Amino acid sequence: MSLKTDDPNYFAHFYNQTDKDNKKKIRILDSTLREGEQHPGVSFTTKQRIQIAWMLDSFGVDQIEISPVVSPDHYQATRTIIKQGLRADILAHVRAIKSDIDVAIDCGATWIATYMGISDIHLSAKLKINREDAKSRALEVADYIRSHGLKSRFTMEDASRTDPSFLIDMCKEMNKRGIERISIPDTVGIMNPRGMYNLVKMIYDNIDRSKSSLDVHCHNDIGLALANALAGCEGGADQIHTSIDGLGERTGIPALAETAVALTLIYKSSNDFRLHMLKDLSKTISEYTDLEVPESKPIVGDSAYKHKAGTHLAAILRDPSAYEIIEPKIVGNRRKIVFGELAGKNGASYLLSLLGLETGKHEAETMARGLKELRMGDILELYLDDKLERKILNNASPKINTKE
């Protein structure tokens, strides 16, 4: 076997088993306009909601949800967005109550997403009804939606803490009624990936998949939302709920950027996402919410493609794929090099070349030692312009001259 492959990620894909021919398309529903507005302190204007919907549609998500029952502004935004004729399905998200369904219908919705907490703790603490009453109410609403000829999704809220027999029974009943999508949420973020796989697989094996497909809606309370969502898709779901930058209740849900790149790069899902929009989507939401994007945020953070350690710089300056699994420009981000006490000889040599100075071994070592002895941490951060990018990508970066 050759020790070198054309794709630096080849063996990673081999271990991930994404080189197989049985890859399936995993869709994205974005909930920035619903779950995202449940993030503390976040509230969009009607104009902003419409702009976000257009951007999400242009990016390539499959469905967008928004709740028309929250306020008159949300109602107006929902009506307006539905009239835009976007490619993505627009789901009017409402409670499992007939009056809420009527509001969604009045908005012109062709897709209705409704939900009900079905775990014992939700039934007792929130709804104050028993399982029989919950089932009766849910099925009555499902029948009401179907009687209007609308497409629908039913969310089994708090599914991850629901008695399996009751959860399966509810899913089967929705499946019999031809509800197009059934959402299985980990509402409180308590699952691990194996558990989420088991949960979704159990439901997947108990329904007629020709009638209903499965969504996963995972919360990030202990940082496992995206891992759990992907595990749920391996268990049979084919759609993940996201929001831009992962906004949502408490610590939110999977971030759109991380999910889209994972599906494209790792899971080889055949989506047609415009990945170059990811940075701008994040920036737009940050401006609308006044919430700063953490520098270390995967994909869209300013540090996502920032290289600092000397050994890293030495490799990056020869071939960026040594430490980058996807080029920054593909996701709308930029590569940045940090010069300071960790830059090492190769980083120091590159800095000298940018300054038009000698890059011999002695000069590079002197510069590296000087940067270290300053003990000032990072001295200079440099975004690479197109000319410098080409220098690196063409392996034309300066080499240390070992001749004195």
Side-chain angles (χ1 to χ4, degrees):
M1 176 182 286
S2 172
L3 294 178
K4 181 174 175 62
T5 63
D6 293 333
D7 180 7
N9 301 324
Y10 173 82
F11 293 113
H13 293 318
F14 171 77
Y15 299 132
N16 285 333
Q17 296 186 324
T18 49
D19 58 338
K20 294 184 176 180
D21 295 329
N22 60 354
K23 297 182 290 289
K24 68 175 181 180
K25 179 178 178 180
I26 301 174
R27 300 152 46 97
I28 287 181
L29 172 145
D30 191 86
S31 189
T32 302
L33 299 180
R34 199 275 301 174
E35 180 79 52
E37 285 214 59
Q38 292 176 212
H39 188 96
V42 171
S43 180
F44 301 121
T45 66
T46 297
K47 183 177 180 179
Q48 287 171 342
R49 293 182 190 113
I50 296 168
Q51 175 67 22
I52 292 167
W54 271 101
M55 292 182 73
L56 288 169
D57 188 62
S58 179
F59 173 77
V61 301
D62 299 277
Q63 297 191 322
I64 299 169
E65 68 177 7
I66 181 172
S67 179
V69 298
V70 173
S71 70
D73 282 352
H74 282 81
Y75 174 85
Q76 186 58 48
T78 304
R79 278 182 61 90
T80 303
I81 291 169
I82 288 172
K83 290 179 180 179
Q84 299 302 299
L86 302 181
R87 180 200 59 81
D89 300 322
I90 307 301
L91 277 65
H93 188 275
V94 297
R95 297 167 295 179
I97 301 173
K98 282 186 176 180
S99 58
D100 276 19
I101 307 300
D102 290 336
V103 173
I105 292 172
D106 191 53
C107 283
T110 57
W111 267 94
I112 295 181
T114 188
Y115 68 98
M116 175 182 286
I118 62 170
S119 66
D120 289 341
I121 184 63
H122 274 221
L123 293 177
S124 62
K126 184 171 70 172
L127 298 177
K128 298 180 175 60
I129 57 177
N130 58 34
R131 292 182 184 179
E132 290 72 24
D133 291 336
K135 181 178 177 180
S136 176
R137 181 188 298 183
L139 297 184
E140 182 181 7
V141 167
D143 289 338
Y144 188 63
I145 294 171
R146 301 305 289 175
S147 72
H148 285 81
L150 303 172
K151 295 180 179 180
S152 63
R153 186 196 79 218
F154 194 95
T155 294
M156 305 291 173
E157 188 183 6
D158 210 21
S160 57
R161 297 193 296 174
T162 299
D163 182 327
S165 62
F166 184 52
L167 176 59
I168 291 173
D169 181 37
M170 288 286 287
C171 290
K172 282 184 174 180
E173 289 292 344
M174 293 298 171
N175 184 226
K176 288 178 184 176
R177 286 162 171 75
I179 298 300
E180 282 80 4
R181 306 202 67 90
I182 299 171
S183 180
I184 310 300
D186 178 22
T187 302
V188 295
I190 197 172
M191 300 300 284
N192 65 25
R194 172 58 64 180
M196 196 68 193
Y197 171 88
N198 292 337
L199 173 63
V200 176
K201 185 70 162 57
M202 176 185 72
I203 296 166
Y204 183 79
D205 289 342
N206 277 280
I207 63 170
D208 179 351
R209 278 99 66 180
S210 68
K211 292 182 178 180
S212 307
S213 299
L214 300 178
D215 289 28
V216 280
H217 181 99
C218 297
H219 276 262
N220 205 38
D221 293 72
I222 55 175
L224 291 174
L226 180 53
N228 287 340
L230 292 169
C233 289
E234 291 179 2
D238 69 358
Q239 182 159 267
I240 295 174
H241 294 188
T242 71
S243 66
I244 300 171
D245 288 346
L247 297 181
E249 285 278 356
R250 305 183 307 280
T251 55
I253 62 175
L256 174 64
E258 295 156 39
T259 306
V261 172
L263 293 182
T264 301
L265 178 66
I266 300 175
Y267 283 79
K268 307 295 185 181
S269 178
S270 59
N271 307 80
D272 190 22
F273 298 136
R274 301 177 72 186
L275 296 178
H276 68 275
M277 293 181 62
L278 287 173
K279 180 73 172 178
D280 284 342
L281 281 164
S282 175
K283 183 179 179 181
T284 298
I285 292 300
S286 179
E287 291 174 351
Y288 286 174
T289 62
D290 291 326
L291 295 174
E292 287 191 19
V293 179
E295 281 206 5
S296 59
K297 185 78 172 170
I299 311 300
V300 297
D302 284 344
S303 292
Y305 290 93
K306 191 181 289 187
H307 304 284
K308 172 177 175 178
T311 55
H312 288 228
L313 289 181
I316 283 290
L317 294 174
R318 294 185 180 94
D319 187 343
S321 64
Y323 283 99
E324 294 175 359
I325 59 173
I326 187 172
E327 286 188 37
K329 63 183 179 181
I330 291 176
V331 295
N333 211 331
R334 295 183 67 188
R335 184 178 295 116
K336 198 171 191 179
I337 290 182
V338 181
F339 299 98
E341 60 185 8
L342 298 183
K345 290 182 293 185
N346 284 276
S349 175
Y350 195 74
L351 178 56
L352 286 168
S353 76
L354 296 178
L355 297 173
L357 302 175
E358 290 292 328
T359 61
K361 180 180 179 181
H362 175 71
E363 288 82 5
E365 289 177 344
T366 301
M367 170 67 85
R369 184 167 57 252
L371 291 171
K372 188 179 294 291
E373 290 176 353
L374 278 174
R375 302 182 65 81
M376 293 178 62
D378 301 340
I379 304 299
L380 174 67
E381 295 184 358
L382 180 67
Y383 278 118
L384 301 183
D385 61 20
D386 291 341
K387 181 178 179 181
L388 293 176
E389 287 276 2
R390 285 194 296 272
K391 240 184 176 184
I392 289 178
L393 295 177
N394 293 332
N395 291 321
S397 57
K399 306 296 189 295
I400 296 175
N401 181 8
T402 58
K403 296 180 180 180
E404 297 295 327

